[in-house]
Amino acid sequence: MAGRALVLGGGGVTGVAWELGLLAGLVEEGVDITHPDVLVGTSAGAAVAGIIAGGLLRERYEAQLQGPGDEIPERLGLGLLARWGWHMVRSHTLEQFGARIGAMALATPTIPAARRKAVFESRIGLGVGWPDDIELKVTAVDAETGKFVVFDRSSGVPLIDAVVASCAVPGVWPPAEVAGRRYIDGGMRSAVNADLVSGAERVIIIAPIIRGGGLLAPPGKQAAALRAAGTQVVLASPDAKALKAIGTNVLDPARRKPAAEAGFAQAKAEAAAIKELWG
């Protein structure tokens, strides 16, 4: 495993905004971590990874400040969260959970997949491909088998398709079709999937959602496992002001601007520790 790894976790529309704000704020502080050896993107983090691959960090950060934009309003209601929880308690393995929640996603009426993909095409760009200088890993879960899948430049699929798959929140957005199979959100296996960078010397985990539950190991536990194996790790998550700015609905486009601004402001407090680790 290469020396430096950046792990970008899931967190919905507000997670994208907060991560972009934090990364842009770090650049403002003279700490640019957008050129790691390995980059892992899960759900919202996959979208941000695609933006990094396209060299659009500052542009897309500034777009968050314009308000909702072309994002489609949604919410994670208590009913949906209860359905997720029910599938979790009935599952003994992550793969079993993935298959159960994948079946739920496949049976749930949503917006057309083409409309959902168009959001990412406007966010990332049609022509953005897998970077040659970064080992980019985009996570997803096979909706039928529950198997965890990691897309990279050797997978033979367009980067935009991998990102859409990683962001396919079950019960909210349609499962994404990639090379003839259907996929759901990579966050259904883990909010960060930091184990993919096991063996790296230095790791920064940026996690909009810090909690876990049931079979889903929280980012803090994953960071601790990496440290126990000898990896230097910095874990950054929203501070109190950022949590207030994000609010209770991570899929609310109206919270993009405050979440991005909070991430940008938080970068001042995170910069020293990240710079010391990153070198």
Side-chain angles (χ1 to χ4, degrees):
M1 174 66 71
R4 301 189 303 183
L6 174 61
V7 177
L8 301 174
V13 170
T14 56
V16 171
W18 177 79
E19 288 186 22
L20 289 173
L22 183 67
L23 291 169
L26 287 171
V27 172
E28 192 78 6
E29 296 295 316
V31 186
D32 187 352
I33 59 173
T34 62
H35 301 281
D37 299 302
V38 181
L39 175 58
V40 175
T42 293
S43 198
V48 175
I51 289 166
I52 289 173
L56 299 173
L57 173 60
R58 187 71 196 192
E59 176 184 319
R60 294 310 301 160
Y61 164 66
E62 292 177 351
Q64 309 303 302
L65 306 181
Q66 306 307 311
D70 59 359
E71 293 285 353
I72 304 168
E74 262 295 353
R75 69 174 299 108
L76 290 177
L78 292 177
L80 178 60
L81 293 176
R83 290 168 72 192
W84 287 8
W86 172 244
H87 290 301
M88 176 67 75
V89 298
R90 295 178 63 220
S91 302
H92 299 290
T93 66
L94 281 168
E95 195 163 302
Q96 193 175 60
F97 171 63
R100 285 198 166 111
I101 207 162
M104 180 204 78
L106 290 167
T108 302
T110 62
I111 65 170
R115 185 182 175 202
R116 179 63 175 156
K117 185 176 179 179
V119 172
F120 290 90
E121 291 173 343
S122 66
R123 181 187 292 166
I124 297 171
L126 285 170
V128 176
W130 296 93
D132 294 324
D133 56 342
I134 298 173
E135 186 182 349
L136 173 55
K137 300 174 182 289
V138 175
T139 69
V141 172
D142 189 300
E144 294 181 4
T145 67
K147 181 181 178 181
F148 180 57
V149 176
V150 181
F151 296 108
D152 59 23
R153 61 175 170 258
S154 68
S155 299
V157 304
L159 174 57
I160 191 76
D161 288 353
V163 171
V164 175
S166 190
C167 296
V169 181
V172 177
W173 307 123
E177 183 170 336
V178 182
R181 297 201 64 80
R182 305 289 293 281
Y183 296 93
I184 58 172
D185 198 310
M188 294 300 102
R189 190 255 191 181
S190 162
V192 292
N193 292 298
D195 57 309
L196 293 179
V197 297
S198 296
E201 296 174 5
R202 293 167 284 173
V203 174
I204 295 172
I205 302 172
I206 297 181
I209 294 177
I210 204 68
R211 298 181 302 276
L215 297 169
L216 305 181
K221 185 174 182 179
Q222 294 184 49
L226 290 171
R227 291 190 187 105
T231 298
Q232 299 178 64
V233 182
V234 168
L235 171 60
S237 59
D239 60 16
K241 290 183 178 179
L243 288 173
K244 183 177 180 180
I246 288 168
T248 58
N249 179 17
V250 299
L251 298 181
D252 182 3
R255 307 306 299 175
R256 291 199 332 171
K257 183 176 186 291
E261 291 174 333
F264 192 89
Q266 186 177 341
K268 291 183 181 295
E270 305 286 351
I274 290 176
K275 183 176 183 179
E276 182 179 358
L277 180 142
W278 206 244

